Amino acid sequence: MTRYAAKVDNNHAAIRDGLRAIFGREAVQDVSMYSGLGFDLIACCRGRVAFLEVKQPGKAARLTESENAARARYGEYWRVVTTLEEALGAVEVAT
């Protein structure tokens, strides 16, 4: 079976790197290379954990089966984000 690299959205690096610049490199784990998790980033910031699925802004993106499963499993801790500001909101940080 051939594995292909996971495709990340264009805004993925800006969100990941922005969170890391604010909270430190260890606070944000990029797990986008693991297909089937249902999220791209795990952020542990100021006592709050968030599972973040990065999507392109302005695009009506349907959730995959694994994203729907992660949303059901993690509830309020799972969020779709399109900007750094949304990601900061997901970890309850005032921008």
Side-chain angles (χ1 to χ4, degrees), residues 35-67:
S35 65
L37 285 180
F39 49 88
D40 296 314
L41 304 171
I42 303 171
C44 300
C45 309
R46 296 186 181 162
R48 170 106 168 130
V49 174
F51 301 95
L52 306 175
E53 173 58 31
V54 177
K55 298 284 188 190
Q56 281 294 324
K59 282 189 171 181
R62 292 183 4 178
L63 298 179
T64 65
E65 185 177 319
S66 63
E67 291 164 356

Side-chain angles (χ1 to χ4, degrees), residues 15 18-19 87 92 94:
I15 293 170
L19 288 172
E92 300 180 343

